[in-house]
Amino acid sequence: MRLAITNLKGGTGKTTTAVHLAAGLGRQGRTLLIDADPQGSATEWAVLMGDECPFTCVTDAGDDLHRRLGQQTRGYDHVIIDTPPGHDAIVRSAILAATDVLVPLAPSLMDINRLRPTIELIAAVERLNAPTIRVLLTRVRSNTRKSRLARGTLAELGVPVVEAEIPLLEAYVTGFGLVPPEGHRYGAVLDELLRQAVAA
Ligand SMILES: Nc1ncnc2c1ncn2[C@@H]1O[C@H](COP(=O)(O)OP(=O)(O)OP(=O)(O)O)[C@@H](O)[C@H]1O
Ligand SMILES: [Mg+2]
């Protein structure tokens, strides 16, 4: 699986998702995390993990990533690309390189409304590469109807949503720089993505 984590909006949980999924995949096979964000947060996280890091991390924030991918990913079973907010050209390149695109999104109407540029960017490259697209609901508050409402709106828009969702938890904030724990919510997300990749 070559999975790009994208959302042109900032602060939606892309890097948190990329690192947790790369850690999960890294326990199953050789995994490369490409940090395509010039901010370098995923790289910083990987450096803090040091020898304990379950995957290899490289920094490459080029808008021609898809052209160099074959060379870079040789020998890896899985590739995850963390992308920046706002940089259309880099995100476009990551989408061109991907077999799957995952869009982390908070279940609020404002975030759903701001999803359009990301979906349009994915649609614009469809002719060249058509990866599977799914939204992942993150920062979901427990005991609210927001996630159910968001799922309804996204279904109306025809956007597939991963069944598993990531709760709003302080542990995700304090977990920066630490090795993500095995399993739990991101484990369920990974199981779902891998199951669907095999079925496809
Ligand atoms: N499930 C969660 N619950 C609580 N806080 C979270 C959760 N996921 C991420 N965060 C926090 O939200 C902030 C933004 O997350 P993150 O850096 O992963 O987003 P991003 O989309 O990569 O941001 P950017 O667009 O700037 O790259 C971080 O402080 C992170 O620790
Ligand atoms: Mg980020």
Side-chain angles (χ1 to χ4, degrees), residues 10-16 37 39 85 139 166-169 172-173:
T12 63
K14 292 180 288 297
T15 300
T16 305
D37 184 348
Q39 293 177 110
R139 311 160 70 100
I166 308 300
L168 180 80
L169 286 177
Y172 287 111
V173 182

Side-chain angles (χ1 to χ4, degrees), residues 2-4 6 95 98-103 122 131-135:
R2 280 198 312 277
L3 179 68
T6 67
I95 294 167
T99 56
D100 296 81
V101 175
L102 188 64
V103 184
I122 296 168
T132 308
I133 304 154
R134 296 183 201 85
V135 159

Side-chain angles (χ1 to χ4, degrees), residues 142-199:
S142 53
N143 303 321
T144 66
R145 298 165 53 228
K146 274 188 157 179
S147 129
R148 199 150 43 84
L149 290 172
R151 284 178 186 275
T153 309
L154 290 163
E156 280 168 25
L157 294 171
V159 182
V161 184
V162 175
E163 221 171 281
E165 49 190 50
I166 308 300
L168 180 80
L169 286 177
E170 188 61 18
Y172 287 111
V173 182
T174 53
F176 182 84
L178 305 176
V179 179
E182 211 164 322
H184 202 50
R185 298 305 185 102
Y186 276 108
V189 173
L190 203 52
D191 288 347
E192 210 176 317
L193 294 180
L194 290 172
R195 214 169 42 235
Q196 288 170 4
V198 168

